Amino acid sequence: MAVWDDLVGQDRVQEQLAAAARDADALVTGAASASALSPAPAPASSGGSMTHAWLFTGPPGSGRSTAARAFAAALQCVSPDRALNGPGCGFCDGCHTSLVGTHADVEIVRTDQLSIGVKETRDLVRRAQLSPATGRWQVIVLEDADRLTEGAGNVLLKAVEEPAPRTVWLLCAPSLEDVLPTIRSRCRLLTLRTPPPAAVADLLVRRDGIEPELATQAARATQGHIGRARRLATDERARARRAAVLKLPLRVDDIGGCLKAAQELIDAAGEDAKQVAEEVDTKETEELRAALGAAAGTGGRLPRGTAGAMKELQDRQKRRATRTQRDSLDLALIDLTGFYRDVLALQLGSRVEIANIDARDALERIASASRPERTLRRIEAIIECRRALDRNVSPLLAVEAMTVALRAG
């Protein structure tokens, strides 16, 4: 299986990355002069020419991080057949360890916090100055470049401007506007598109062994979002939460129903965050206690002077819980937007496929009881709720305002 196999519906991007990987292989093996890798990005018209900094953009679920990981693996490919078939075999030690995240010279950076700060970025910059230890390149994959604070972005800028000779930065963000102009101007831009649901369903069947009918339903429900489709197809709790969200439009007939629906939506997001915390926090805490010298699982007293490390972990876990709750709530709002998108399609007689086919009765009921302009106002109310949450408005107040607006239309 080649490293590109999980890159769904991105043929043009795959061709560019494969060409760049071949150029990178030629640079390392000496087939091209060392000056071919310029500190400044090669112009876009140069096609697959290798450069030191890349920016992967695209809507959520398009596979930005998948593309970056695949490219990182191709850069580290050591297959004896790469001269014939191109780097990225997927089977050699370089490809395999890069894809699973254990390669010594591939740093995968993702955050479960609300932002990436200066300290973490400085650590990355120091790492980027090192020569490859065992691999062919030193590769830094920053999956959440849009979460860099302004200070962290300025720290990263210096490293991107003056890279080490064998270091490659792979940055991922939803759009160009999410990255500092000074950084994006020094990167080769690759824009990914939302893959078609049929291609996502095929991937779920091929890679995850999902039943074809369930895979198709999940891919259509998430409108081509690979990660959400996989979760929906494999997690019964995720399907139950989504089903509850899609019933909300039928429950906002009066103010009492609006407020109750809003509270239930917030509670569901909180429960989701709690489940994630239970799976991760306990393990992290026990590992830290063991590292500090306290007996694991016994609640033994920590050695003197280590309370600060435990407090730092607890603060990090609290910030992660906040982000998880926000992400869960945002996912519910996306599902709700998809519901009204289907309502609008029915009202306008559009030929586009209905995404939420399992909620067809509710869709037809709402569509027949209102007009397209009211549906558009409801979609705008959901979008405004998401903006309010981004501005740190109280989640309950934001969702209550949204449900009241959904009632008014």
Side-chain angles (χ1 to χ4, degrees), residues 103-405:
H103 196 291
D105 295 312
V106 177
E107 181 76 7
I108 307 291
V109 183
R110 70 177 70 85
T111 182
D112 49 19
Q113 310 297 321
L114 296 175
S115 62
I116 300 175
V118 171
K119 181 180 181 297
E120 302 96 309
T121 307
R122 282 178 177 157
D123 291 340
L124 279 181
V125 170
R126 282 192 289 269
R127 165 73 182 261
Q129 298 304 312
L130 301 175
S131 297
T134 60
R136 299 161 66 78
W137 296 87
Q138 182 76 250
V139 185
I140 312 293
V141 181
L142 187 54
E143 293 188 356
D144 300 298
D146 55 308
R147 294 187 181 271
L148 288 166
T149 64
E150 184 176 355
N154 291 329
V155 171
L156 178 63
L157 174 61
K158 186 67 174 177
V160 175
E161 281 182 327
E162 300 177 2
R166 295 268 292 277
T167 294
V168 180
W169 289 90
L170 307 180
L171 312 181
C172 304
S175 70
L176 282 175
E177 288 70 26
D178 293 310
V179 181
L180 287 176
T182 48
I183 292 179
R184 67 185 187 229
S185 66
R186 290 162 172 80
C187 297
R188 173 78 52 76
L189 174 63
L190 290 177
T191 302
L192 285 75
R193 67 187 183 96
T194 300
V200 175
D202 178 69
L203 175 66
L204 294 177
V205 173
R206 172 172 49 84
R207 184 187 65 184
D208 302 304
I210 307 299
E211 290 294 326
E213 183 176 352
L214 179 58
T216 299
Q217 181 176 335
R220 289 181 61 180
T222 57
Q223 299 181 53
H225 190 298
I226 300 172
R228 288 173 50 209
R230 184 180 184 279
R231 185 182 182 192
L232 198 61
T234 57
D235 188 345
E236 181 63 37
R237 293 179 302 182
R239 292 196 290 273
R241 283 193 292 270
R242 174 178 168 274
V245 169
L246 297 185
K247 292 178 182 178
L248 186 146
L250 301 175
R251 302 174 54 206
V252 292
D253 293 334
D254 52 48
I255 295 297
C258 292
L259 300 182
K260 184 178 180 181
Q263 185 64 63
E264 290 178 357
L265 202 58
I266 296 297
D267 291 344
E271 183 63 27
D272 200 22
K274 182 179 178 181
Q275 289 174 356
V276 172
E278 289 175 350
E279 296 171 359
V280 179
D281 290 2
T282 301
K283 180 181 177 181
E284 284 183 344
T285 301
E286 291 299 334
E287 287 177 350
L288 180 59
R289 292 180 66 86
L292 295 176
T298 65
R301 186 172 181 177
L302 288 169
R304 181 177 299 178
T306 60
M310 186 60 68
K311 177 66 164 56
E312 183 180 353
L313 174 63
Q314 291 170 350
D315 290 343
R316 188 165 67 248
Q317 290 173 341
K318 184 177 180 180
R319 290 194 298 270
R320 180 171 61 207
T322 299
R323 177 183 169 182
T324 302
Q325 184 172 6
R326 286 189 183 183
D327 288 349
S328 179
L329 184 56
D330 191 62
L331 179 58
L333 296 178
I334 291 173
D335 286 335
L336 200 55
T337 304
F339 179 93
Y340 282 111
R341 171 260 191 195
D342 286 345
V343 169
L344 188 62
L346 291 176
Q347 290 172 330
L348 298 177
S350 173
R351 296 182 180 180
V352 301
E353 289 186 339
I354 298 300
N356 300 287
I357 192 67
D358 51 331
R360 181 88 189 198
D361 291 343
L363 292 171
E364 292 178 345
R365 178 177 169 181
I366 297 294
S368 62
S370 65
R371 295 185 56 80
E373 52 267 29
R374 295 186 65 187
T375 302
L376 286 172
R377 286 196 292 269
R378 286 165 173 158
I379 293 175
E380 290 170 356
I382 300 170
I383 294 172
E384 181 56 36
C385 180
R386 296 181 68 190
R387 289 174 179 161
L389 293 173
D390 285 340
R391 297 193 298 267
N392 289 323
V393 173
S394 166
L396 182 58
L397 290 179
V399 175
E400 284 178 346
M402 180 197 70
T403 54
V404 172

